Amino acid sequence: CYQMDSDSRVEARSWYWAFDCLHKPRPSVATARLRLAVAETLLFADDGATAWIFTSKEGEVKRKHTKRLKADVFVESIMTKSRLDAEMSGAKPAQQHACVTRSGGVTSTDVKAQLLTEAELLAKTGEGGSLTGGLLALQCAVHPRGGGGTRYRCEADMRPDKSGIRFSVHKLSYLGAPTEPDAPHPRSVAGAALNVGPAFQIKCTWRELNEDLQARTSQLMSHLSDVGRTKVTKLQADFILSAANGEPILVSMPLVYTMQLPKPPTHSSRGDLMSASSVGGLSHSSSKPTIPTDAATITMLMRAASLPALPPADQPSKDAKFSPEVEPPSAADLAAEIAAGGAGSSARGRSCSCG
């Protein structure tokens, strides 16, 4: 965690959390789903499949039925798709891969990725294989054009004053053939540090692609914030351009930072605000007014309504209707009458000369 400012605490989210949010509809908009091309992915937790995430024909990110959450069914499906994808990309046989495995825990922010060929995948899923041990995700391999393994990373970062989002797009390129022992992993940027071969991060100058990736990453930030009921402050999203139609396909979100939303006012604080607004007898309560029913109170209200306003003592009014011989009833007299109560107070009220 780190402090973005004095009032906001920012924390890193796990790779699993970010990908698991993709298929969930947004709570603020009824039945609204994320519309984005995503690499077909099977998520795991405690060595068991939890979600098969894919993009539907309508372009919405969805989750398949739980009855189909079986590793062997998924493996058979992605091998068929990866073969077709490799043919469209023009990748050589030595550059073709069936899937990407991502290892780590559900709460891990540092996830290790590895490309597997079809033969390697079958060996791990066969009898005596060790595919599910520590497995976090199994993902269909996406082959870029030329089979070079190039990816594009779009990074969105909230400004320190929270006035907007800064975007940057980089091209992740690798040196050497991807079939060498130090073959690059899909997630690696500093390849030498991960012992997967040299990697270069080059600023992308393809304006149309930059604008497209920025729009997709902005959509991702909004969706994760809404579904996670939080505020995404920083996000890295990795895309591979599909060999079939050139569309960017989301393959990973290696870095996600979020910030807690301000808590709504509680019932007790609302009550305090209502009490404060009633100071001085001014109440904003929506409850109905109380109608007096006792004779003394009614008499007092009737007499008060019939009396004209008294002028200040040093400025006698010419229009005063009170006789100089008869003093108007004071507040103390009225209070005494109310205290006496009953018909007696009504009678005294009628005997008062207020001509």
Side-chain angles (χ1 to χ4, degrees), residues 2 10-13 231-235 255-259:
Y2 67 92
V10 181
E11 62 176 328
R13 293 286 187 162
K231 180 67 175 179
V232 176
T233 60
K234 189 171 184 177
L235 172 66
L255 187 147
V256 183
Y257 282 110
T258 64
M259 178 178 63

Side-chain angles (χ1 to χ4, degrees), residues 299-315:
T299 301
M300 183 196 71
L301 294 175
M302 291 178 64
R303 291 184 62 185
S306 65
L307 295 176
L310 294 178
D314 56 344
Q315 296 181 7

Side-chain angles (χ1 to χ4, degrees), residues 286-311:
S286 59
S287 59
K288 295 182 179 180
T290 303
I291 301 176
T293 57
D294 59 289
T297 305
I298 294 175
T299 301
M300 183 196 71
L301 294 175
M302 291 178 64
R303 291 184 62 185
S306 65
L307 295 176
L310 294 178

Side-chain angles (χ1 to χ4, degrees), residues 2-220:
Y2 67 92
Q3 290 291 121
M4 188 171 183
D5 54 38
S6 58
D7 299 324
S8 59
R9 184 176 177 83
V10 181
E11 62 176 328
R13 293 286 187 162
S14 68
W15 193 97
Y16 182 95
W17 177 88
F19 244 81
D20 192 42
C21 286
L22 297 180
H23 68 88
K24 299 177 181 178
R26 302 181 66 160
S28 63
V29 184
T31 67
R33 292 185 176 274
L34 177 65
R35 301 184 67 87
L36 191 71
V38 178
E40 200 157 342
T41 306
L42 185 63
L43 296 179
F44 288 81
D46 298 328
D47 294 338
T50 59
W52 184 337
I53 300 172
F54 70 104
T55 300
S56 67
K57 295 180 179 179
E58 294 77 20
E60 296 180 335
V61 181
K62 293 185 177 181
R63 170 182 175 177
K64 290 196 176 183
H65 196 275
T66 55
K67 292 182 178 180
R68 296 181 61 85
L69 294 182
K70 296 181 180 180
D72 55 345
V73 177
F74 181 81
V75 167
E76 183 178 354
S77 174
I78 65 172
M79 283 197 303
T80 302
K81 294 179 180 179
S82 64
R83 289 194 205 105
L84 180 61
D85 186 72
E87 292 176 3
M88 291 183 176
S89 69
K92 298 178 181 178
Q95 297 175 330
Q96 297 180 10
H97 297 88
C99 74
V100 179
T101 61
R102 303 186 186 273
S103 303
V106 173
T107 60
S108 300
T109 57
D110 186 17
V111 177
K112 305 299 181 182
Q114 183 182 9
L115 280 167
L116 296 181
T117 63
E118 187 170 315
E120 292 170 339
L121 178 60
L122 291 175
K124 286 182 175 292
T125 55
E127 186 176 355
S130 58
L131 178 65
T132 59
L135 185 64
L136 182 64
L138 191 61
Q139 193 173 74
C140 182
V142 180
H143 297 82
R145 292 180 180 177
T150 300
R151 292 175 298 117
Y152 294 87
R153 171 167 294 174
C154 182
E155 181 172 311
D157 193 3
M158 180 181 290
R159 299 180 186 275
D161 59 358
K162 305 178 185 178
S163 60
I165 304 294
R166 292 178 297 190
F167 292 94
S168 62
V169 181
H170 290 85
K171 179 180 179 180
L172 307 183
S173 300
Y174 302 91
L175 294 180
T179 53
E180 294 178 355
D182 59 350
H185 295 169
R187 181 182 173 276
S188 63
V189 176
L194 298 177
N195 297 319
V196 293
F200 289 89
Q201 181 171 306
I202 308 170
K203 186 176 180 179
C204 183
T205 57
W206 187 355
R207 189 185 65 178
E208 292 80 4
L209 178 61
N210 289 349
E211 293 175 353
D212 188 0
L213 297 185
Q214 289 174 13
R216 292 170 188 264
T217 305
S218 177
Q219 185 183 7
L220 269 174

Side-chain angles (χ1 to χ4, degrees), residues 234-314:
K234 189 171 184 177
L235 172 66
Q236 288 181 351
D238 289 356
F239 298 88
I240 292 180
L241 300 185
S242 171
N245 53 17
E247 182 180 12
I249 298 179
L250 178 70
V251 295
S252 180
M253 288 176 283
L255 187 147
V256 183
Y257 282 110
T258 64
M259 178 178 63
Q260 291 183 353
L261 296 175
K263 295 182 180 180
T266 60
H267 294 291
S268 59
S269 61
R270 289 179 186 146
D272 295 340
L273 292 175
M274 294 297 294
S275 300
S277 65
S278 301
V279 174
L282 299 177
S283 175
H284 297 278
S285 175
S286 59
S287 59
K288 295 182 179 180
T290 303
I291 301 176
T293 57
D294 59 289
T297 305
I298 294 175
T299 301
M300 183 196 71
L301 294 175
M302 291 178 64
R303 291 184 62 185
S306 65
L307 295 176
L310 294 178
D314 56 344

